[in-house]
Amino acid sequence: MTLWVALPRAINLGSHNKVPMPALRDALTAAGCTDVRTYVQSGNIVFRTPLRSAAAVRKLVVGILAREFTVTTSAAVRTAAQIDAVIAANPFPDATAERPKVVQVTFLDAQPIPAAAAALRELPVATERTELIGAELYVDYGESIHASKLTPDRLRRVLRVDGTARNWTTVTAIAALLSG
């Protein structure tokens, strides 16, 4: 069985889209997944399933969130090897070593078209740095994510692709779950 990570978008943020992690683990187990583990409350889920395609895994996770928790959202889905590749491709090793909580990877639902990638490079930024590698957008927010004009909505409009972001601390914790 393939080892996957699913990263649902916008669950357990404030009072919206509440999904208890023990109940989510139970629901995935009942759906035939094994070795189901979660990291923090934002729904980072590592599990094994006989499903072989990312589309099928995404459909399973999104369906469970909708049926069991009445949460309508999307989810990025990656294999363990893909997460390893994300870490290996890190364009900002200095920043991830010094400030891992203000460097994010947005796991996009698809690779943006070249025109959208070009539009990203044209965005005026202050201290932020961005690097689009395949279907992952790396953003070094400098000292503060909250002061940045590179909001998730703005990045989504420019790239024309949905995704979900995780900070570098979370990305490396997910990698540890996948390897452990």
Side-chain angles (χ1 to χ4, degrees), residues 6 30 59 65 69 108 131 135 137 154 156 178:
K59 183 177 178 181
L65 289 168
F69 305 100
L108 302 170
E131 186 74 35
L137 173 64
R154 185 172 189 195
R156 189 175 306 114
L178 288 163

Side-chain angles (χ1 to χ4, degrees), residues 3-161:
L3 185 59
W4 294 90
V5 61
L7 307 166
R9 190 164 64 114
I11 66 170
N12 292 340
L13 296 176
S15 62
H16 297 89
N17 295 338
K18 289 294 187 188
V19 178
M21 293 300 102
L24 179 57
R25 290 191 298 270
D26 290 346
L28 284 162
T29 300
C33 299
T34 60
D35 195 24
V36 182
R37 293 165 284 155
T38 55
Y39 174 72
V40 299
Q41 293 299 309
S42 58
N44 305 292
I45 317 154
V46 171
F47 57 97
R48 293 186 185 280
T49 177
L51 298 173
R52 295 183 180 264
S53 75
V57 173
R58 180 179 299 109
K59 183 177 178 181
L60 171 72
V61 171
V62 168
I64 286 172
L65 289 168
R67 278 190 316 277
E68 302 292 326
F69 305 100
T70 63
V71 171
T72 303
T73 191
S74 64
V77 175
R78 302 293 191 270
T79 64
Q82 289 171 318
I83 295 297
D84 288 343
V86 165
I87 290 173
N90 176 11
F92 309 124
D94 57 327
T96 56
E98 296 169 15
R99 301 171 277 103
K101 291 188 177 186
V102 294
V103 177
Q104 290 188 343
V105 179
T106 300
F107 296 89
L108 302 170
D109 292 347
Q111 188 169 339
I113 62 171
L120 175 69
R121 289 189 295 275
E122 298 301 319
L123 283 177
V125 293
T127 60
E128 303 90 348
R129 299 183 288 173
T130 63
E131 186 74 35
L132 180 63
I133 301 174
E136 278 77 38
L137 173 64
Y138 298 77
V139 181
D140 173 8
Y141 283 96
E143 295 302 319
S144 172
I145 292 172
H146 303 293
S148 176
K149 294 186 189 298
L150 292 180
T151 64
D153 285 339
R154 185 172 189 195
L155 291 169
R156 189 175 306 114
R157 280 193 309 272
V158 169
L159 294 175
R160 298 183 237 164
V161 177

